[in-house]
Amino acid sequence: MAEMTVNDTNKDLPNDSPHRARTSSLFGWIKVMKKNRKAQVGFIIFVGFILVGILAPVIARYSPTATNFPPLEPPNAQHWFGTTGLGQDVYAQFVWGTRSSLIVGFGASAISTLFAVVIGMYPAYWGGYLDRVMATFTNVFIVIPGLPLMIVAAAYVHDSSTLTMMVIIGLTGWAGRARVLRAQILTLRNREFVWAARLTGASDRRILVHEILPNMLSLFMASLMYGILGAILAEAGLEFLGLGNLTGVSWGSMLYWANNGGALLNGAWWWLLPGGLGIAMFGTSLALMNFALDEVTNPRLRQMSTLSRDRIVRAWHALRGESFQ
Amino acid sequence: MSDDTAILTVDHATVVYGSEAGLAQAVNDVSLAVAPGHILGVVGESGCGKSTLAQAIMRLLSPNAALVEGRIAVRGRDMYRMSENELRMFRWKHVSMVFQSALVTLNPVIPVGKQFQEIFQIHEPTMSQVQVRKRIEELLSLVRIHPQNLSNYAHELSGGMRQRIAIAMAIALDPVLVVMDEPTTALDAVVQREILDEIRRIQEIKRFAVVFISHDLRLVSYISTEIAVMYAGKIVEVGSAHHFMAAAHHHPYTQGLLDSVPKLSGEGFTIRAIPGSPPDLVHPVRGCAFHPRCSAAYDACLAASPILRSVGSSKFACFDIERRENEKAHG
Ligand SMILES: Nc1ncnc2c1ncn2[C@@H]1O[C@H](COP(=O)(O)OP(=O)(O)OP(=O)(O)O)[C@@H](O)[C@H]1O
Ligand SMILES: [Mg+2]
């Protein structure tokens, strides 16, 4: 009699999860992402950092640059994250550092994304002379080592304002991303479904928007996420080398001062840790959201994570009303 | 239906896919036995579960599918009780497979000869280069491919040549069973026929058993010793190929398949299509899966699902055939 009741198993399967929504639009994705555990965790951490950055003036408790506290105090009730060798409050530095690191990260990645799209994606679809010029340009930029270029640029402009940092990092970080996006466009533009759309008379614009972009959205978002993370790492790197704005406070400058102030020699782990953890956790949140996005946009990955063989067997036996070990 | 002498025994196997819509029973309580040197043809329309059955036999089911009931054994060894390692060594040595398109099974960036060698490197590591080379050339001559083609890449060969090479690879280790999932579907009619003759000829030399899957009843009846007809994941008719085309009874679905083969009659071609639409495997109808499309259906067919019973020389899962047989027996 199994045949009659097969429908009942559906309650054991993720009936209302991913697959249902049409996932070609950003909006559809957001709906689907809400149900993904990895996305949830990643998003909560991400939003936590954003809130810390926005609310820095409210929640910092002390000025991050004030040096009027006892130096090298371990975490306590007054100084939640302890104090630095110069008598600054580490918690205040972390909170303000979050703010400036995120600003540089988002700003620089916006600049590099713009370049990656304009130089990598658009010419690739139309091909021809412009594409060849742009591809060559990109390739030249890729082989220039990024960090030395950034160091030279930062040392040359002699201006370590936040905006300058953004521009330097943005302008040196777009080439790899441009190449990835270009490669994806090149494989997509000759796929059968694109040819089929062309044969039915669809315009280039329509093909780009309706056929190609939906297939690229996940790669694009991944590129964006890694762009942000890369920019934050680049900023931390420059700061750590002493090439940033050392009077300002960021995760990188915290590491710089902790290193130069002998935090490890003094056993002041609380001074060294927050800057590094900030970078690592923010990176993790981006990576988690990115994995989730992969699952949501790739039906195969999605099925693997939601419909494991064990679940299928269990659902089947539940349907048959048998106890199953 | 377990038969001690059988090479392949499939015993009440049920395979379900977990999909977005729910559980799809792609193979539903299927039992089969293939004796040494026999060719079992499996025929049915697209989506009836033929490939799923082949994958289940090979233990190659996709990650969202599971063999939830039953047993599948090759040479008496349960495929699903082997460790990954045992399975790796067992497959291809004892049971191998030919896929629909050799273009997707041959690696596009490795010359075919190299892929051939890999089979021996994995399974017969003690063979010397020279022995391997000699063995490969023997195999190629069996499928009538010139050894010089070994240095070619897959895209440089014709579809027929590729499929011959795929067959040679499948029999490289002298397996007792070869599963062929629509091995000729991607080929034109003439080449199709050539490949079928090739399979039969080699099979007569090597005496391996074959599960031959196709949606084309003519191909299946041309090559097989037994024919199984599948509908909605179930075997609805199975019998010896010898009597098949001329048999007195057929399952109504099989009859539909036979009628949909073009026939040259007095007035020209007649083709009759099977009315209705393919079954929904997630929400199966109550009773016999075929009844919505069956002209012989009566109340019994709506109430329960028939199981395979012997009638004459074949087996059928059909209440109508049973009823007619009973009527005959009782006068
Ligand atoms: N990966 C999958 N996930 C979910 N359902 C699947 C999957 N693969 C196959 N199915 C379903 O299982 C059923 C049987 O598929 P199968 O590929 O075995 O059919 P088939 O008889 O080989 O058809 P064809 O002649 O077209 O090759 C189909 O209804 C199909 O929708
Ligand atoms: Mg198939």
Side-chain angles (χ1 to χ4, degrees), chain A residues 1-4 6-7 9-10 13-15 19-20 22 299-300 302-304 307-309 311-313 315-317 319-320 322, chain B residues 14 16-23 25 28 61-69 234 281-287 303-305:
Chain A
M1 293 282 111
E3 292 80 0
M4 305 187 290
V6 163
N7 316 359
T9 34
N10 295 353
L13 287 168
N15 214 359
H19 1 16
R20 274 295 143 99
R22 286 316 313 144
R300 274 190 179 240
R302 190 167 69 209
Q303 270 185 343
M304 271 183 220
L307 296 168
S308 70
R309 192 163 280 162
R311 277 188 83 177
I312 294 166
V313 174
W316 169 260
H317 285 272
L319 148 80
R320 302 296 301 264
E322 294 165 13
Chain B
T14 296
V16 297
Y17 283 100
S19 74
E20 20 206 284
L23 289 181
Q25 267 176 272
N28 189 343
L61 288 168
S62 78
N64 65 321
L67 179 79
V68 290
E69 306 270 350
K234 283 197 170 207
L281 299 178
V282 180
H283 308 288
V285 295
R286 189 179 175 145
S305 184

Side-chain angles (χ1 to χ4, degrees), chain B:
Chain B
M1 195 161 163
S2 63
D3 179 345
D4 288 339
T5 63
I7 286 297
L8 169 70
T9 43
V10 177
D11 217 7
H12 298 288
T14 296
V15 178
V16 297
Y17 283 100
S19 74
E20 20 206 284
L23 289 181
Q25 267 176 272
V27 171
N28 189 343
D29 195 18
V30 165
S31 294
L32 294 168
V34 183
H38 282 233
I39 301 183
L40 171 73
V42 178
V43 65
E45 69 193 350
S46 187
C48 72
K50 306 182 297 291
S51 298
T52 307
L53 177 62
Q55 288 155 9
I57 293 171
M58 297 298 293
R59 197 174 149 188
L60 263 185
L61 288 168
S62 78
N64 65 321
L67 179 79
V68 290
E69 306 270 350
R71 204 180 83 100
I72 294 175
V74 174
R75 269 199 150 156
R77 290 202 53 196
D78 189 331
M79 292 292 282
Y80 289 77
R81 297 232 159 152
M82 292 181 198
S83 69
E84 288 290 328
N85 244 343
E86 284 174 300
L87 182 68
R88 214 163 50 82
M89 297 322 284
F90 189 85
R91 264 197 312 231
W92 222 260
K93 177 127 190 65
H94 301 282
V95 48
S96 63
M97 186 160 183
V98 179
F99 294 88
Q100 176 167 342
S101 168
L103 196 55
V104 299
T105 40
L106 294 173
N107 189 324
V109 297
I110 303 176
V112 289
K114 190 112 180 70
Q115 294 180 59
F116 240 117
Q117 282 171 14
E118 276 171 5
I119 298 175
F120 292 100
Q121 273 162 18
I122 294 166
H123 291 274
E124 307 279 355
T126 54
M127 271 173 91
S128 73
Q129 285 280 346
V130 183
Q131 284 172 308
V132 169
R133 177 88 202 167
K134 199 160 155 275
R135 184 92 181 84
I136 293 175
E137 279 173 16
E138 275 168 32
L139 285 164
L140 284 185
S141 75
L142 208 56
V143 293
R144 301 183 218 240
I145 293 279
H146 197 279
Q148 79 186 33
N149 288 315
L150 283 174
S151 56
N152 285 112
Y153 291 92
H155 71 269
E156 296 170 328
L157 304 167
S158 75
M161 285 161 93
R162 283 198 291 261
Q163 212 53 289
R164 283 163 197 267
I165 288 173
I167 291 167
M169 282 185 178
I171 60 171
L173 303 169
D174 271 325
V176 288
L177 175 69
V178 182
V179 177
M180 302 188 176
D181 188 4
E182 315 228 14
T184 62
T185 303
L187 308 170
D188 68 61
V190 177
V191 182
Q192 231 173 34
R193 181 68 175 260
E194 273 172 30
I195 299 278
L196 286 189
D197 289 337
E198 210 77 82
I199 294 172
R200 270 228 296 229
R201 197 174 50 78
I202 299 166
Q203 195 266 342
E204 264 158 35
I205 301 169
K206 298 268 181 185
R207 304 304 298 168
F208 50 86
V210 179
V211 174
F212 185 95
I213 288 170
S214 174
H215 58 262
D216 189 336
L217 190 50
R218 281 174 306 174
L219 291 189
V220 166
S221 58
Y222 181 71
I223 194 168
S224 308
T225 52
E226 281 92 31
I227 296 178
V229 180
M230 232 175 140
Y231 186 80
K234 283 197 170 207
I235 304 281
V236 295
E237 173 170 349
V238 57
S240 142
H242 195 63
H243 307 290
F244 198 85
M245 291 315 238
H249 302 293
H250 278 301
H251 188 279
Y253 174 65
T254 315
Q255 195 57 52
L257 285 182
L258 289 166
D259 291 342
S260 65
V261 173
K263 270 195 217 74
L264 274 175
S265 64
E267 292 99 83
F269 275 128
T270 55
I271 304 178
R272 265 195 296 140
I274 302 173
S277 52
D280 181 346
L281 299 178
V282 180
H283 308 288
V285 295
R286 189 179 175 145
C288 172
F290 189 62
H291 88 252
R293 301 169 77 178
C294 181
S295 57
Y298 65 108
D299 44 1
C301 308
L302 278 59
S305 184
I307 54 169
L308 273 179
R309 290 216 172 80
S310 291
V311 174
S313 56
S314 300
K315 290 182 177 175
F316 302 93
C318 179
F319 289 127
D320 182 52
I321 294 177
E322 275 176 34
R323 181 173 65 167
R324 278 189 285 155
E325 206 52 29
N326 283 343
E327 279 166 7
K328 223 169 32 187
H330 298 115

Side-chain angles (χ1 to χ4, degrees), chain A residues 89-116:
Chain A
D89 182 67
V90 177
Y91 171 72
Q93 292 205 324
F94 176 75
V95 169
W96 281 96
T98 301
R99 184 183 177 102
S100 65
S101 285
L102 291 191
I103 289 175
V104 173
F106 287 123
S109 96
I111 295 172
S112 70
T113 301
L114 188 71
F115 271 72

Side-chain angles (χ1 to χ4, degrees), chain A residues 104-172:
Chain A
V104 173
F106 287 123
S109 96
I111 295 172
S112 70
T113 301
L114 188 71
F115 271 72
V117 167
V118 170
I119 295 177
M121 266 170 84
Y122 282 94
Y125 178 73
W126 282 286
Y129 184 69
L130 186 66
D131 179 44
R132 284 206 295 280
V133 171
M134 291 303 190
T136 311
F137 186 52
T138 309
N139 286 338
V140 168
F141 248 85
I142 282 175
V143 294
I144 298 175
L147 188 65
L149 177 64
M150 259 182 339
I151 291 171
V152 170
Y156 178 76
V157 293
H158 247 330
D159 164 21
S160 48
S161 72
T162 309
L163 188 65
T164 321
M165 296 290 280
M166 277 186 206
V167 172
I168 290 173
I169 294 169
L171 288 186
T172 50

